[in-house]
């Protein structure tokens, strides 16, 4: 017996199960002793996932455009149908420019300009034209907002109405002032060729966060302004007009305008908050600084 063990050497262990005989890559079998490996996990192809994400973006983007257009149309209809139209004569019709210009500039044009970089069709192109378009749209929004403020301040001064006494006016002034500061700093930090990379990296997260905050303040100012205006003009009078509490047609229309503005803002903020829809060269891991003059040559 001992001679047989010396001649044959130490006996190799027997394979009691398939898992003992297979390489480590085959250890996850369905059952011990079964030669049929478990089915590998199914992963969605990258191309399909990317295509789905892009389709969802364009649905949100079209919804954003539709809601923005609806906001502009509704605020114009409200001030034409119920408030008597527009003029610049120091009377009530001059005030009507205020809600139209603030909703159009401080909310709609601002929101559309904010999501410009998220459009996938712009990702493979030179960034400079889109930077300039972004800055130009923001400038249009700022100018419209300033003209809207001029309309209401001039109307108040002509009619001896105090300025900046309501919460609505405080929020609106704060949003416009922050917007002006944001635009100036943005142009200086991201468009001028002398801007150093350290300044750009410092400003980037602040610029993005402040942009969303300004939009939120603008929405709050607009809906509080609509509510304030409806409280002022819808009162019980001898001519039979109904108060705001009775929800006459103008009140329903004004409230609906406020809902549209909130819906527009939510869609814009949804687009801005989705990291998958960021321009690739805007993501932290792919951040590369290219001065303005170099981008012109690309």
């Amino acid at each position: 017996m001992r001679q047989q063990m010396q001649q044959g050497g130490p006996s190799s262990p027997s394979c009691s199960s398939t898992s003992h005989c297979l390489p480590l890559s085959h250890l996850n079998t369905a059952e011990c002793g079964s030669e049929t490996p478990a089915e590998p996990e199914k992963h969605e192809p990258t191309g399909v996932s990317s295509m789905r994400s892009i389709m969802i973006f364009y649905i949100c983007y079209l919804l954003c455009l539709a809601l923005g257009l609806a906001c502009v149309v509704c605020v114009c209809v409200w001030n034409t149908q119920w408030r008597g139209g527009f003029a610049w004569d120091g009377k009530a019709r001059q005030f009507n420019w205020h809600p139209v210009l603030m909703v159009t500039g401080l909310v709609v044009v601002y929101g559309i300009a904010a999501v410009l970089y998220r459009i996938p069709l712009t990702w493979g192109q030179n960034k400079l034209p889109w930077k300039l378009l972004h800055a130009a749209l923001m400038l249009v929004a700022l100018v419209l907002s300033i003209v809207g403020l001029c309309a209401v301040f001039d109307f108040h001064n002509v009619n001896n109405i105090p300025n900046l006494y309501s919460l609505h006016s405080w929020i609106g002034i704060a949003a416009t002032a922050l917007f002006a500061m944001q635009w100036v700093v943005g142009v200086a930090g991201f468009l001028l060729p002398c801007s150093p990379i350290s300044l750009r990296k410092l400003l980037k997260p602040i610029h993005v966060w402040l942009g969303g905050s300004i939009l939120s303040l603008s929405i709050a100012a607009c809906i509080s302004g609509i509510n304030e205006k409806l409280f002022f003009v819808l009162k019980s009078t001898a001519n039979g007009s109904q108060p705001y509490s009775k929800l006459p047609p103008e009140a329903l229309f004004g409230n609906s305008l406020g809902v549209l503005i909130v819906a527009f803002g939510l869609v814009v903020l949804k687009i801005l908050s989705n990291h998958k829809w960021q321009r690739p060269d805007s993501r932290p891991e792919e951040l590369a600084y290219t001065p303005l003059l170099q981008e012109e040559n690309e």
Side-chain angles (χ1 to χ4, degrees):
M1 183 70 175
R2 185 177 300 175
Q3 292 179 353
Q4 290 178 354
M5 292 178 63
Q6 291 177 353
Q7 292 176 357
S11 60
S12 59
S14 60
C15 293
S16 59
S17 65
T18 308
S19 61
H20 293 161
C21 303
L22 295 176
L24 291 177
S25 60
H26 297 277
L27 282 178
N28 53 338
T29 55
E31 295 179 358
C32 183
S34 173
E35 296 182 359
T36 306
E39 293 184 2
E41 295 181 3
K42 295 181 179 180
H43 296 282
E44 189 176 41
T46 304
V48 175
S49 177
S50 176
M51 183 62 66
R52 178 180 289 113
S53 177
I54 290 175
M55 289 178 62
I56 295 174
F57 167 82
Y58 278 114
I59 292 173
C60 291
Y61 183 66
L62 291 176
L63 181 60
C64 170
L65 295 178
L67 288 171
L69 179 61
C71 289
V72 174
V73 171
C74 286
V75 72
C76 291
V77 169
W78 175 33
N79 288 277
T80 302
Q81 183 74 22
W82 282 283
R83 298 292 100 214
F86 306 96
W88 202 281
D89 53 6
K91 299 180 181 179
R93 291 191 301 168
Q94 177 175 332
F95 179 89
N96 295 341
W97 283 111
H98 176 64
V100 170
L101 293 176
M102 301 308 282
V103 169
T104 302
L106 204 55
V107 175
V108 176
V109 178
Y110 182 97
I112 291 174
V115 301
L116 186 65
Y117 286 137
R118 300 300 200 267
I119 303 175
L121 288 177
T122 69
W123 291 355
Q125 303 178 23
N126 182 6
K127 194 176 182 179
L128 175 61
W130 301 103
K131 278 187 177 182
L132 296 175
L133 181 58
H134 174 76
L137 286 175
M138 286 298 187
L139 180 61
V140 170
L142 181 59
V143 170
L144 291 175
S145 305
I146 292 173
V147 175
L149 290 177
C150 291
V152 69
F153 278 123
D154 186 58
F155 168 77
H156 282 181
N157 294 335
V158 170
N159 294 276
N160 296 318
I161 300 174
N163 291 309
L164 300 176
Y165 65 89
S166 66
L167 180 61
H168 156 69
S169 61
W170 290 7
I171 297 174
I173 285 294
T176 307
L178 287 173
F179 183 15
M181 181 185 69
Q182 168 92 328
W183 190 86
V184 172
V185 174
V187 169
F190 297 103
L191 280 179
L192 295 183
C194 57
S195 301
I197 184 172
S198 57
L199 176 63
R200 183 173 181 262
K201 286 184 176 180
L202 175 66
L203 290 178
K204 183 77 174 181
I206 300 174
H207 189 77
V208 173
W209 172 81
L210 190 57
S213 301
I214 292 170
L215 179 62
S216 300
L217 287 173
S218 303
I219 293 169
C222 286
I223 60 178
S224 62
I226 292 169
N227 193 245
E228 184 179 282
K229 179 66 175 179
L230 292 175
F231 272 120
F232 285 162
V233 301
L234 295 179
K235 299 178 180 179
S236 296
T237 58
N239 60 9
S241 62
Q242 293 181 311
Y244 187 21
S245 59
K246 298 296 183 181
L247 278 181
E250 183 178 359
L252 287 172
F253 195 86
N255 288 352
S256 300
L257 171 60
V259 171
L260 285 175
I261 292 173
V262 172
F264 173 82
L266 290 176
V267 174
V268 171
L269 292 175
K270 167 63 179 175
I271 293 175
L272 294 177
S273 64
N274 193 323
H275 297 290
K276 293 182 179 179
W277 296 339
Q278 285 185 353
R279 184 182 175 96
D281 57 5
S282 297
R283 295 170 185 164
E285 65 273 13
E286 300 176 17
L287 184 62
Y289 174 71
T290 306
L292 179 61
L293 297 180
Q294 291 184 18
E295 289 185 356
E296 292 178 348
N297 299 325
E298 291 181 356

